[in-house]
Amino acid sequence: MQNDFFQRLRHIADHFPTRRDAAQAAGISVDQLTRYLRGENQPSFQAMQKICAAAHMSLVWLATGQGARETDAAAHNDDALPPSYTPRALPVLNLAESGQVGWFDATALAVTTTLDIPDPNAFAIVAQGLSLVPEGIQPGFLCICSPMLKPMPRDIIHLRRHDGRCTLMTDLTEDAEWLYLQAYLDPDKDNRQSLFKDQIRKSTLTDLAPVVMVKRRL
């Protein structure tokens, strides 16, 4: 559960003499760390990786609650994942125009990609079109999605409906029944991109996952 994740994060932060020390270990500000510890925002994988390495704690344990909590201190450095985690090949999905604005048909590619994401259900999507260029996502970029994590308002989010169509959108807000998101239309003659807003009934979705990492190419 999400609350359990933040309890584990607080446990790791308590290993440091002060919250400032914990924030420095994670490579973030004290204010950011405070929001994470309160459960107001979801930390990036990079921040989780750094604070776990500095505290000699398992990133897999932090992310999932499974496996050993502590790791061998001698095996850590700022760029390494805990030795208990072995990167796996992530499936890659390709998006194709579906005829509906903002939504795509997805097909699995024969290729895979390997990244340090401790989520057994993580997957990658090859971005298509120009709908997220203002957010820094160019066509052909590889978006790594983690269903394990709860999307936050400014995340780029992958959504899949019961009919199989997918999308990548951002700026999430929600109520009990609906999700409200946005992307961008293709540039006009003056190369300006207007916002495309969509509302999606939660009951029509089968998958919802934030993009946690972006690669420029497969």
Side-chain angles (χ1 to χ4, degrees):
M1 296 177 61
Q2 195 71 8
N3 287 341
D4 295 334
F5 167 82
F6 292 112
Q7 288 178 4
R8 293 192 295 273
L9 183 61
R10 286 191 288 272
H11 176 83
I12 292 175
D14 288 343
H15 275 62
F16 296 87
T18 67
R19 288 291 187 252
R20 183 173 298 279
D21 292 327
Q24 289 177 346
I28 57 177
S29 69
V30 176
D31 286 344
Q32 281 180 295
L33 178 64
T34 300
R35 289 194 293 271
Y36 295 159
L37 298 180
R38 290 175 179 168
E40 297 173 0
N41 295 102
Q42 177 72 50
S44 68
F45 272 96
Q46 291 85 350
M48 291 192 295
Q49 177 181 335
K50 288 180 178 179
I51 197 170
C52 283
H56 310 310
M57 304 290 287
S58 168
L59 178 57
V60 176
W61 175 79
L62 171 59
T64 68
Q66 299 176 2
R69 183 170 60 184
E70 298 180 359
T71 59
D72 182 3
H76 278 282
N77 59 61
D78 287 343
D79 300 318
L81 282 163
S84 58
Y85 175 65
T86 301
R88 70 179 184 93
L90 303 182
V92 178
L93 301 179
N94 189 53
L95 301 182
E97 295 290 344
S98 69
Q100 182 178 358
V101 176
W103 291 87
F104 301 86
D105 293 320
T107 56
L109 297 179
V111 297
T112 58
T113 184
T114 301
L115 288 170
D116 296 328
I117 302 295
D119 180 350
N121 297 312
F123 59 94
I125 291 180
V126 180
Q128 301 292 336
L130 305 175
S131 62
L132 288 173
V133 168
E135 301 290 337
I137 306 298
Q138 298 284 345
F141 278 19
L142 197 65
C143 298
I144 313 302
C145 305
S146 175
M148 177 181 69
L149 298 179
K150 178 182 177 181
M152 293 296 173
R154 287 300 301 161
D155 285 345
I156 295 170
I157 303 165
H158 166 264
L159 305 100
R160 181 189 293 270
R161 302 187 312 208
H162 287 287
D163 63 7
R165 286 185 172 169
C166 303
T167 189
L168 291 170
M169 293 189 181
T170 188
D171 205 28
L172 171 70
T173 57
E174 62 181 303
D175 57 30
E177 186 176 1
W178 296 90
L179 298 177
Y180 305 91
L181 299 106
Q182 66 183 32
Y184 295 84
L185 298 174
D186 288 344
D188 60 20
K189 63 180 180 180
D190 297 317
N191 204 35
R192 293 176 297 192
Q193 288 188 253
S194 300
L195 281 175
F196 161 69
K197 296 189 177 183
D198 204 350
Q199 63 182 67
I200 303 153
R201 194 184 297 271
K202 293 179 179 179
S203 61
T204 66
L205 296 174
T206 60
D207 295 298
L208 181 69
V211 173
V212 297
M213 188 179 297
V214 176
K215 287 184 64 177
R216 291 183 179 274
R217 59 180 61 85
L218 185 64

